[in-house]
Amino acid sequence: MSDPTSPTDQATSANPENAMHQPHRITRLLPWSGPEGNPCYLLTDADGGHLSRTADNIESVQLGMGRELLGHARALVDDPKTGPVELRYLSARLSESLRDVLRVAESRGARLPVSDDDEEAWGAGSTVF
């Protein structure tokens, strides 16, 4: 991960002309949290790197696990013999999965390019629901 106060980043922010000689850098929300539950970000270029590929793989696993969990959830909810302990456990796992999927969606959405046409269509400062 890159330190946002690295000499390269400081030079780019201090002298905009240096930015023309730097690769396009993006901040990516990673699919895991830090030790205290805070979000983790990666400062990288548009091509990504090893850590970006690792994050892509983890996102893929998280989405797959969510899909599989949803199938199990349907079976448990449809079974009249499912008790409150099983439903509570299911609820906890679904909450965890939803948190992961929302983080993936936020990360991927933040990396989508926004064109001038998009801003004109919605109007500057508009809130999209």
Side-chain angles (χ1 to χ4, degrees):
M1 282 188 262
S2 175
D3 177 4
T5 60
S6 71
T8 302
D9 292 331
Q10 288 176 347
T12 300
S13 60
N15 185 354
E17 290 182 21
N18 288 344
M20 294 187 300
H21 304 292
Q22 299 291 328
H24 177 68
R25 299 178 69 95
I26 59 171
T27 303
R28 175 183 181 166
L29 175 63
L30 295 172
W32 55 80
S33 298
E36 295 178 3
N38 296 325
C40 290
Y41 293 90
L42 172 66
L43 184 59
T44 185
D45 60 22
D47 295 332
H50 175 72
L51 194 54
S52 287
R53 287 188 299 278
T54 299
D56 290 340
N57 290 336
I58 290 173
E59 286 179 353
S60 180
V61 168
Q62 288 173 328
L63 293 174
M65 289 173 62
R67 235 180 264 105
E68 190 173 319
L69 180 59
L70 192 56
H72 291 302
R74 176 54 41 209
L76 282 174
V77 169
D78 288 344
D79 185 354
K81 296 177 186 172
T82 303
V85 172
E86 291 91 358
L87 290 175
R88 191 172 301 112
Y89 181 80
L90 172 65
S91 178
R93 301 299 74 81
L94 285 170
S95 295
E96 292 166 359
S97 181
L98 180 58
R99 180 202 61 224
D100 292 343
V101 169
L102 289 173
R103 183 180 291 131
V104 170
E106 181 181 348
S107 176
R108 292 182 180 184
R111 290 181 277 140
L112 289 175
V114 178
S115 70
D116 291 338
D117 294 338
D118 291 339
E119 286 186 21
E120 288 176 18
W122 294 101
S126 296
T127 302
V128 179
F129 295 96

